[in-house]
Amino acid sequence: MKGKNRLFLIMGIVGPGLIIANGGNDAAGVIIYSLAGGNFGYSFFLWIIGLTLGFAAIQEMIARMAVVTGKGLSDLIRERFGAKWAFLVMALLLVSNFAISMANFLCIALSLEMFNISRYLSVPASALLIWFIITKVGYSKGQKIFFILTCAFLTFLFAAVTIKPNPVNIITGMLNLQNGFNKGFFLTMIAILGTTITPFMHFYIQSSIVEKEISLKEYFYEKLNVYITVAVAGIFALLIMACSTEAIFKTGGTIKAIEDVAMIISPFAKEYSQIILALGLLGAALTVCSIVPITTAYSTCEALGFESGEENKINEAPVFFGILIFIVFGSGAAALIPGLSLLGVILISAEISGFLCPIMLIFIIKLANDKEVMGLYTNTFMENVFAKGTVILSITLIAGLFISII
Amino acid sequence: MEKLFSFFLSKFLYKKVYDEDGEYIGKLWDMYVTTQDGMPRVIGYKIKKKSELFNCEFKNINFYKENEKGIIKVQGEREIILQSYSYLLSKHLLDRQIVDINGKKLVRVNDLRIAEIAGEYRVIAVDTGVLSLGRRLGAEKLVEKLFKYAGKKPEDTLIIWDNVESLEMVNNNLKLSVPYKKLSKLHPADLADILEDMDINYRKRVFESLDENLAADTLEEIDKEVQLDLLENISQSKRDEVLDNMPNDEIADILEEVDEETAERILLNMEKEDADEVRALMEYEDETVGSLMNKDFISFNINITAKETIELLREMNPDDEVSHYIYIVDESERILGILSLKDLLVAEPDMSLREIMVEDVVYIKDSDNIELAIELATKYYFLSLPVIDAEEKLCGIIIMNDIIGEVLIPIWRRRFKKVV
């Protein structure tokens, strides 16, 4: 064990984990949970609880794969499934990550517009800031700075405490699904799926655990860390949704603009709610916008065998920098297309991730059950139940959506 | 139909195999090779028929091309049980990482070039280029067009087998051959770079296969963090071997980063004399000369001639970095004089060391700051400086190269981290 004592070790592992959990509840995620609560009340509580269980199983599989194989997820996909599948997965990842990055740039635009800063200034400026952080500072340092801003989201916890939702209301609300099973309901469920189990997170987390070079002996702590962070993320999602239900849904309102989202924390934050929400969104969005391009570029280059690493010169690693530029500046530019419905685009981006989610999960489950890859550490029965259950539910959901459209 | 004597594996993998009567046998699923004699030689084939896999060999197998499509024809099919020293091309080599010995880096295998040599099929080269990736994706033509569009000639980037080292296809059972033979010919600094890029399992496997001298030299060159992980993960016997071959100051540097428990465990397994020395080195504060000094140096306290000294050096065969200067000390190990290797070489063979030595020695205290060492060494053009302890005894030397590597480069990198 490297740390001075066990507590320190746990904190060392949990620290970055909490950031990731916050990244999972990225800026777009906060908006989606708010939208879901504001428009559908407590209907999605069960779905989020179920997803959190599935997510815990999947994150644990990812962590275990990292520790056992010492390889990144994209490496494993390439080595076990060959060039074609690796290419397909990377192409899908690129699409999904572009959408996520664009949604988070929109969140930056939204948050700074609350301070009357035009998006035509804020988005290009933050794209340049992110480029600077990625290439010169290192994204892990940037993350730490942004994390401070993200702490503003804790107001959701205080708001929930202030509101004190009635447990009976929650239970009757979450069991009452009569208003559901239409197109909007399914789409929101898929968006929640996409933002809770985001495809890029698997790649990011696996490589960050690989980098920590945790041995099997220490794996217990990493596993604990995974479960804690997933639980925190799940509780956080429920809190946002509860606040949103009480503040918007119960009053008969709907969320049409970012100002309505700020209403959710107003029971606690009062007149500061817009500022606090804006800071939180900004921090979370900047975090995601700097992690996503790096993760995409590394995963793709590793899977397809291109030179990678920020320490290279552009002409030494053209594909690597090409992807970075494409995601950072391409998605930033796309976020500036005039006339976009901001909340709508954020929702669509999460839906894209939701559609791709089961595909990624199938690869992960196959790998985690592969004796050649995992040796003695393949999935347990219960893990397969949760993970495969998540896949089956997701596919059913997507099928349900298509049926509801027809 | 044209018979091919040299082809890419991807062109025939998962293609249909027919026997002499034109009857369908199954699909070519993989090829078994042996690496016992140079380039991997194909010794068997894995065939899949109706979701059933079986291993076989053929009296005769030919690979044909017709209208850009690959066709495989065989004669004399026989099912076989393979010896355990065989590897599968698709499973163990294709899509895997492999070390490019000339390029000194890890690359990913996109395709394999196979050729018929003296009636046998052998892997002669691996392809790591974009064109081969395009071929694997079934978009070779598209990639070729893109190349032409960009004004470049589409070419296969083949690395011949002699210049690659597979990480998977290593036979630990064969005592005669050296595993990772080609890797062990690399310079330790290059090997260190490659090891840093490897995943932890490969890294451990390759490192354990190196002989103790190379392993020690390589470990010195590896990044701090990776160094620790390696030391903690390798077997006890390998660790003892490697540490035995490392200068004590390097060991002290590494152990300072480990937690006490591990450091103690490692120290307990070392010889007492070395362990005490390492402990003493670890006591020094950061940025003092003592924390960076080398405990190995050459000193004599007897009066011998230049010729005898050279003979002694020939016997000792000291490391490069400690052999630039020879120190002459008295009974209580205080420095009397210094002699550079050049002085020694040009001196009359019969002159005694005391006659040719320079008595005015520039030295530094172990508690001094490294900055002072840099100033002194650059002022007087020294490659290393003698270090004395509180009792004025010669206790080590501080080498310029170590200062550059351990102190200056990290600072320089932080300050001038350039990307584009």
Side-chain angles (χ1 to χ4, degrees), chain B residues 210-316:
Chain B
L210 303 175
D211 79 62
E212 63 250 37
N213 284 320
L214 182 59
D217 288 347
T218 308
L219 191 65
E220 282 179 39
E221 302 283 341
I222 291 179
D223 257 9
K224 273 267 141 54
E225 278 175 39
V226 183
Q227 229 173 22
L228 280 182
D229 287 314
L230 251 183
L231 267 190
E232 281 174 18
N233 280 307
I234 53 177
S235 65
Q236 180 71 42
S237 59
K238 190 77 198 176
R239 184 160 55 216
D240 295 346
E241 252 178 52
V242 170
L243 291 178
D244 211 36
N245 274 284
M246 265 174 102
N248 286 336
D249 62 314
E250 291 279 351
I251 300 175
D253 278 353
I254 298 175
L255 293 190
E256 268 165 25
E257 310 280 326
V258 202
D259 65 296
E260 277 171 37
E261 209 180 311
T262 317
E264 247 346 276
R265 209 178 56 229
I266 291 173
L267 283 168
L268 277 178
N269 278 302
M270 289 170 65
E271 277 174 37
K272 191 173 177 305
E273 201 183 319
D274 284 330
D276 288 345
E277 221 174 84
V278 171
R279 283 206 180 92
L281 283 167
M282 285 169 72
E283 304 261 301
Y284 285 111
E285 305 248 337
D286 278 357
E287 306 207 357
T288 60
V289 167
S291 71
L292 202 64
M293 72 180 178
N294 201 321
K295 279 287 203 177
D296 298 325
F297 52 85
I298 306 165
S299 68
F300 294 110
N301 70 353
I302 39 167
N303 211 358
I304 49 175
T305 63
K307 191 177 159 209
E308 286 165 330
T309 309
I310 291 176
E311 264 159 27
L312 272 173
L313 285 179
R314 190 172 292 136
E315 250 169 65
M316 286 157 61

Side-chain angles (χ1 to χ4, degrees), chain B residues 107-142:
Chain B
V107 290
R108 207 172 272 290
V109 179
N110 286 335
D111 213 342
L112 297 170
R113 188 82 191 170
I114 296 171
E116 194 190 317
I117 298 170
E120 286 173 327
Y121 288 99
R122 284 177 186 266
V123 175
I124 55 165
V126 300
D127 197 340
T128 59
V130 181
L131 200 60
S132 56
L133 185 63
R135 191 184 313 121
R136 292 289 304 284
L137 301 175
E140 201 177 4
K141 291 274 177 308
L142 179 74

Side-chain angles (χ1 to χ4, degrees), chain A residues 8 157 180 297 329 350:
Chain A
F8 178 79
L157 172 66
F329 296 106

Side-chain angles (χ1 to χ4, degrees), chain A residues 314-350:
Chain A
I314 284 189
N315 54 4
E316 284 169 353
V319 178
F320 180 79
F321 282 102
I323 294 171
L324 280 186
I325 292 171
F326 175 67
I327 303 261
V328 175
F329 296 106
S331 70
L336 290 178
I337 297 170
L340 285 182
S341 140
L342 298 194
L343 296 181
V345 172
I346 290 170
L347 210 54
I348 290 171
S349 127

Side-chain angles (χ1 to χ4, degrees), chain A residues 1-2 68-71 75 78-79 82-84 87 135 213 302-303 305-307 310 312-313 372, chain B residues 91 95-97 105 108-110 130 133 136-137 199-203 229 232 259 417 419-420:
Chain A
M1 220 181 300
K2 272 170 247 164
V68 172
T69 66
K71 291 180 187 182
D75 290 273
R78 170 73 193 259
E79 290 179 6
K84 270 187 195 164
F87 187 81
T135 54
E213 306 215 354
E302 270 162 27
F306 294 112
E307 196 67 42
E310 308 98 290
N312 286 302
K313 294 195 167 68
E372 303 240 1
Chain B
K91 191 170 153 194
D95 294 321
R96 296 276 167 168
Q97 283 189 313
K105 60 181 179 186
R108 207 172 272 290
V109 179
N110 286 335
V130 181
L133 185 63
R136 292 289 304 284
L137 301 175
D199 69 60
I200 190 165
N201 298 329
Y202 283 150
R203 191 188 295 148
D229 287 314
E232 281 174 18
D259 65 296
K417 195 187 169 211
V419 172
V420 186

Side-chain angles (χ1 to χ4, degrees), chain B residues 363-387:
Chain B
Y363 58 85
I364 193 159
K365 290 204 200 86
D366 58 356
S367 55
D368 281 336
N369 196 288
I370 287 172
E371 210 182 310
L372 184 64
I374 298 175
E375 272 170 31
L376 286 176
T378 44
K379 186 174 171 191
Y380 298 107
Y381 295 101
F382 281 124
L383 293 168
S384 58
L385 288 173
V387 182

